[in-house]
Amino acid sequence: MDNCIFCKIVAGEIPSTKVYEDDTVLAFNDLDPQAPAHILLIPKNHIGSAGEITPENSAVVAHIFEVAAKLAAEKGFADGFRVVTNCGASAGQSVHHLHFHLLAGRDFTWPPG
Ligand code: AMP
């Protein structure tokens, strides 16, 4: 997708600190970490947001959660981590390519602000 920064990261046109990659999923460190560990997990194929998940494209979402669990366990955060996606501007979505924030390494409050 033109002008999508996460598609450009997938294509290698913008650098990222990769922590995981396979055929369908890429995970890399967030540029502006909000916790000691802050990893973004994205589908390689462009999906705009959680609001665009359909029966046709949803398999990658399950896979992303498998990868999130694996990364949290590998990094020693299996006991406590947060996975969140912001959908739409009013929810704080700033990059319009579906992504899940994996946050860990500190305590989190609920409800989020
Ligand atoms: P959201 O605001 O939920 O859409 O999250 C977008 C996230 O992408 C923010 O946490 C940004 O810090 C992060 N971000 C934006 N550009 C980059 C980039 N080039 N590399 C890594 N993280 C980025």
Side-chain angles (χ1 to χ4, degrees):
M1 182 111 173
D2 291 347
N3 291 324
C4 170
I5 58 171
F6 286 178
C7 284
K8 288 183 177 172
I9 286 175
V10 169
E13 295 165 10
I14 292 177
S16 69
T17 311
K18 278 182 204 172
V19 296
Y20 177 87
E21 180 171 20
D22 64 26
D23 288 348
T24 58
V25 172
L26 180 67
F28 52 95
N29 288 322
D30 197 292
L31 265 186
D32 182 20
Q34 302 301 310
H38 187 170
I39 295 167
L40 298 175
L41 298 108
I42 70 169
K44 285 188 168 179
N45 287 335
H46 186 89
I47 299 172
S49 74
E52 296 180 17
I53 296 170
T54 66
E56 289 70 35
N57 66 19
S58 63
V60 70
V61 178
H63 185 46
I64 282 173
F65 274 79
E66 291 169 17
V67 174
K70 171 183 151 69
L71 291 176
E74 282 176 2
K75 294 177 182 300
F77 298 121
D79 283 349
F81 61 94
R82 178 169 287 179
V83 179
V84 64
T85 188
N86 299 319
C87 181
S90 66
Q93 184 179 10
S94 60
V95 176
H96 296 277
H97 181 128
L98 178 64
H99 53 282
F100 293 86
H101 300 257
L102 169 58
L103 300 143
R106 66 170 171 85
D107 291 339
F108 298 99
T109 57
W110 190 263

